[in-house]
Amino acid sequence: MTNSTAKLEFGGDNREYEIRKGTVGPDVIDIGSLYKDTGMFTYDPGFTSTASCESKITYIDGDEGVLLHRGYPIDQLAEQGDFLEVCYLLLYGELPTRTQKEDFDYRVTRHTMLHEQMSRFFTGFRRDAHPMAVMCGMVGALSAFYHDSTDISDPRQRMIASIRMIAKMPTIAAMAYKYHIGQPFVYPRNELSYAANFLHMCFAVPCEDYKVNPVLARAMERIFILHADHEQNASTSTVRLAGSSGANPFACIAAGIACLWGPAHGGANEAALNMLSEIGSVDRIPEYIERAKDKDDPFRLMGFGHRVYKNYDPRAKIMQKTCHEVLQELGIKDDAQLDIAIELERIALTDDYFIEKKLYPNIDFYSGITLKALGFPTTMFTVLFALARTVGWIAQWKEMIEDPNQKIGRPRQLYTGATQRDYVPMERR
Ligand code: CMC
């Protein structure tokens, strides 16, 4: 390997592949012509060594526990910024000036209402439907209503679709929640902040006044910021892959929501909280730690480990602090799940298995306890993740569409199935 090329010796031939440098982080070997040159593909299940695209949005250094959006550290954004400011940053690449921010907030709040006819879609779902199932359906259905923002070749339509999704996602999520619990829908209030409006739509009822607690609204805002983007994770890659075929943005985000639902991804905070309930008491932790270490037991400590972070997840630190703030504000002193979480974290951080495998708590470990304290049922946790991640998905989708080198995503395979054989009629099988 030289500074600028990597050599591949193959069948007596020497091939050279360009090494491309990013502004920070690992370089990449550009093997785009490998198949043409050698007739071979690379094999990398789970894409552990594959950069699928070039991006300027988010940078993660998993070994150091660093997460930057457009260069800004996540802790600074979460502690000093607000969610719509982070949305602007992800979409446009720079922090907004005061005027730009006011204009952006105005544009988002003008789109918070959902077409009234769409509210009738909800009644087509069973009341006990998982709200993520409802989210997949409702977001996909946006393309059936907002035809004037589905032409992906028009930059203006792309931006309108982006603003619409950022604006309407809280409304759809809150409606999915209200439908689930059998309460009437609460319409958005544009004078409230993004997070406060969401809490209002979830927890207000028409028969009495509801005042949003500013400490809880700030916690909600932080949770949204912490989940806003995370480079090429499974759901973002899904959105990019769906978008690479030219599918409309609403359909692409619905695909991202479907992928996020899985317990190894967005479903992990729900799974982490369920696990804390299952453990039940601090004295049963060692039993679960042993199960997590046992190769023959499929059990894993939910909320621990990460494909990229081999250090403390920087979002988990802020999440832990936010969790304590929320519990203190609500006067929750003895929370059994929090006690188990703190002890579990302490044991795991000192246990050789977890140290050797670099398994640290991830963001989901504390977000479940916080969301539960805020009043959300576990089934809503992944919905909140989807709501917050929408801006990241959109920013990544826009970046891809605007990339002149963009091609349809089409991975190849190592085929290990049957070779060609003749059809056998049913009676001879
Ligand atoms: N508990 C016990 N062992 C674990 C855990 C865990 N939570 N996570 C990984 N390991 C072990 C695993 O068994 C493997 O051991 P070995 O090398 O002996 O086979 C080793 O650590 C490496 O694991 P891996 O599955 O190869 O690592 P990965 O990068 O493919 O998986 C992960 C990452 C997040 C899917 C995994 O750590 C996991 O399943 N964690 C629990 C689920 C969770 O909390 N997910 C939320 C991720 S953060 C939110 C998001 O970004 O969506």
Side-chain angles (χ1 to χ4, degrees):
M1 200 182 275
T2 68
N3 268 347
S4 56
T5 59
K7 285 200 177 74
L8 175 74
E9 222 182 287
F10 169 74
D13 260 1
N14 275 323
R15 301 277 175 189
E16 286 200 13
Y17 294 96
E18 190 195 347
I19 295 178
R20 297 188 53 197
K21 293 196 172 300
T23 42
V24 57
D27 301 336
V28 302
I29 305 171
D30 184 345
I31 48 110
S33 63
L34 184 79
Y35 178 57
K36 187 164 63 76
D37 296 343
T38 66
M40 289 201 291
F41 302 131
T42 53
Y43 180 64
D44 182 20
F47 310 120
T48 52
S49 297
T50 298
S52 61
C53 63
E54 190 182 318
S55 181
K56 294 183 170 50
I57 301 173
T58 291
Y59 172 73
I60 302 174
D61 182 335
D63 293 325
E64 295 299 322
V66 169
L67 168 60
L68 310 176
H69 292 319
R70 304 281 190 185
Y72 296 101
I74 189 64
D75 52 322
Q76 294 180 21
L77 293 172
E79 270 156 21
Q80 298 172 51
D82 74 28
F83 181 66
L84 286 181
E85 199 178 357
V86 174
C87 290
Y88 186 100
L89 175 69
L90 290 170
L91 288 175
Y92 294 98
E94 295 297 336
L95 286 168
T97 61
R98 193 174 297 282
T99 321
Q100 286 167 334
K101 174 70 168 46
E102 281 166 9
D103 173 60
F104 186 68
D105 287 2
Y106 179 81
R107 281 190 288 148
V108 170
T109 44
R110 285 318 100 181
H111 286 284
T112 49
M113 286 209 307
L114 204 57
H115 192 295
E116 193 58 20
Q117 205 181 326
M118 281 198 81
S119 63
R120 278 180 240 140
F121 279 16
F122 284 91
T123 49
F125 291 98
R126 283 170 55 139
R127 290 271 176 197
D128 61 354
H130 195 290
M132 277 301 271
V134 177
M135 291 300 287
C136 290
M138 291 303 293
V139 175
L142 288 173
S143 42
F145 271 86
Y146 299 99
H147 301 140
D148 58 343
S149 51
T150 51
D151 177 359
I152 63 159
S153 62
D154 176 351
R156 200 178 143 271
Q157 291 201 29
R158 287 201 296 269
M159 193 41 93
I160 295 175
S162 307
I163 300 272
R164 277 191 170 137
M165 275 187 279
I166 293 167
K168 292 186 198 307
M169 207 57 87
T171 315
I172 298 173
M175 287 168 96
Y177 172 59
K178 287 296 201 190
Y179 182 73
H180 192 51
I181 58 171
Q183 286 185 2
F185 297 141
V186 174
Y187 286 88
R189 300 239 34 116
N190 287 346
E191 78 277 12
L192 296 174
S193 72
Y194 192 86
N197 172 47
F198 179 63
L199 291 176
H200 185 264
M201 287 191 292
C202 287
F203 300 121
V205 283
C207 46
E208 56 188 53
D209 282 340
Y210 175 82
K211 210 167 166 349
V212 181
N213 177 326
V215 176
L216 304 188
R218 182 71 197 127
M220 192 76 257
E221 191 93 19
R222 242 183 241 156
I223 293 172
F224 289 160
I225 296 174
L226 294 179
H227 288 88
D229 191 48
H230 214 224
E231 54 119 305
Q232 309 312 320
N233 55 82
S235 56
T236 303
S237 298
T238 302
V239 170
R240 278 189 179 254
L241 198 55
S244 77
S245 73
N248 76 68
F250 304 110
C252 297
I253 302 304
I257 294 173
C259 176
L260 186 77
W261 194 356
H265 193 6
N269 53 10
E270 184 175 345
L273 201 73
N274 290 341
M275 177 192 75
L276 295 177
S277 298
E278 190 188 318
I279 296 177
S281 62
V282 169
D283 55 301
R284 293 188 62 203
I285 293 175
E287 180 194 322
Y288 281 85
I289 295 266
E290 284 318 304
R291 282 189 61 194
K293 292 196 239 176
D294 182 355
K295 280 228 157 295
D296 300 324
D297 189 331
F299 175 78
R300 283 187 169 199
L301 275 193
M302 299 315 282
F304 276 81
H306 198 274
R307 169 59 62 78
V308 180
Y309 294 120
K310 302 302 171 195
N311 199 325
Y312 213 103
D313 178 344
R315 302 167 303 169
K317 285 186 190 153
I318 310 164
M319 200 60 248
Q320 187 195 43
K321 196 172 142 209
T322 306
C323 179
H324 285 291
E325 282 170 17
V326 166
L327 295 185
Q328 194 185 2
E329 176 65 16
L330 295 172
I332 303 173
K333 290 201 185 68
D334 299 313
D335 184 80
Q337 281 168 336
L338 183 67
D339 293 345
I340 298 169
I342 291 171
E343 183 60 7
L344 193 60
E345 179 180 4
R346 191 191 65 74
I347 296 179
L349 289 177
T350 50
D351 187 292
D352 284 347
Y353 173 92
F354 291 88
I355 295 170
E356 267 164 35
K357 295 192 185 302
K358 300 188 176 167
L359 297 171
Y360 292 85
N362 58 49
I363 184 169
D364 293 315
F365 192 58
Y366 280 104
S367 65
I369 302 170
T370 316
L371 294 175
K372 184 183 157 217
L374 285 173
F376 292 103
T378 46
T379 48
M380 277 297 287
F381 293 0
T382 319
V383 172
L384 301 185
F385 191 161
L387 188 174
R389 182 56 58 84
T390 295
V391 64
W393 289 330
I394 293 170
Q396 301 268 353
W397 169 81
K398 269 179 83 268
E399 184 179 65
M400 181 193 67
I401 299 289
E402 286 158 16
D403 177 354
N405 298 320
Q406 186 262 328
K407 291 188 178 70
I408 185 167
R410 177 55 170 94
R412 304 304 296 262
Q413 63 174 4
L414 173 65
Y415 179 69
T416 54
T419 52
Q420 184 171 333
R421 47 188 172 162
D422 288 327
Y423 178 81
V424 183
M426 188 83 77
E427 58 279 9
R428 292 209 340 252
R429 283 178 221 159

